[in-house]
Amino acid sequence: MIATILLQASGPLGSFGSILPLILIVVVFYFFMIRPQIKKQKDQKNFVNDLKKGDKIITTSGMHGKIIEVADATFLIETEGGHKLRFNKSAISLDDSKALTTPVSTK
């Protein structure tokens, strides 16, 4: 009696029907959360690797400056007052630096 009730409750998809919503949640989570984050990290890495002497940048802490020396893992940055500061490459902000170099459109 219990076996017939369980068999009737499984429905046409069987046990796959109960796993299907979980699979769909994982797929949606991947495309809306994980994939964009991986793309952003890749863009940040490419941006930092393409920086060269003379580029104007903004650090993640908000420090504005111009790159005067590029090393393996650091940048030497000159600020407005003529001070020279050394920052790790990971401290450069992609979004803020792009906004700094993008011309503002006037209408």
Side-chain angles (χ1 to χ4, degrees):
M1 173 102 175
I2 293 177
T4 57
I5 292 173
L6 291 175
L7 289 174
Q8 290 175 354
S10 67
L13 294 177
S15 63
F16 183 71
S18 63
I19 297 175
L20 186 62
L22 182 61
I23 293 171
L24 290 174
I25 289 170
V26 170
V27 168
V28 168
F29 185 74
Y30 174 77
F31 280 105
F32 286 106
M33 299 293 286
I34 297 171
R35 192 166 172 236
Q37 185 64 28
I38 291 171
K39 184 181 183 307
K40 186 175 180 180
Q41 288 174 347
K42 185 178 175 184
D43 290 344
Q44 173 74 21
K45 184 178 179 183
N46 289 338
F47 172 74
V48 170
N49 288 336
D50 291 341
L51 288 174
K52 59 192 176 305
K53 185 177 177 180
D55 288 342
K56 293 182 180 179
I57 53 98
I58 301 175
T59 65
T60 53
S61 62
M63 182 76 64
H64 291 241
K66 183 171 71 169
I67 297 174
I68 57 173
E69 181 185 312
V70 179
D72 289 336
T74 61
F75 289 117
L76 187 62
I77 298 172
E78 183 178 24
T79 60
E80 272 189 45
H83 300 285
K84 295 177 183 177
L85 304 167
R86 188 166 300 277
F87 282 96
N88 284 339
K89 286 186 174 184
S90 61
I92 307 302
S93 172
L94 167 69
D95 299 330
D96 293 339
S97 295
K98 277 187 175 180
L100 182 68
T101 58
T102 303
V104 178
S105 63
T106 57
K107 289 186 177 185

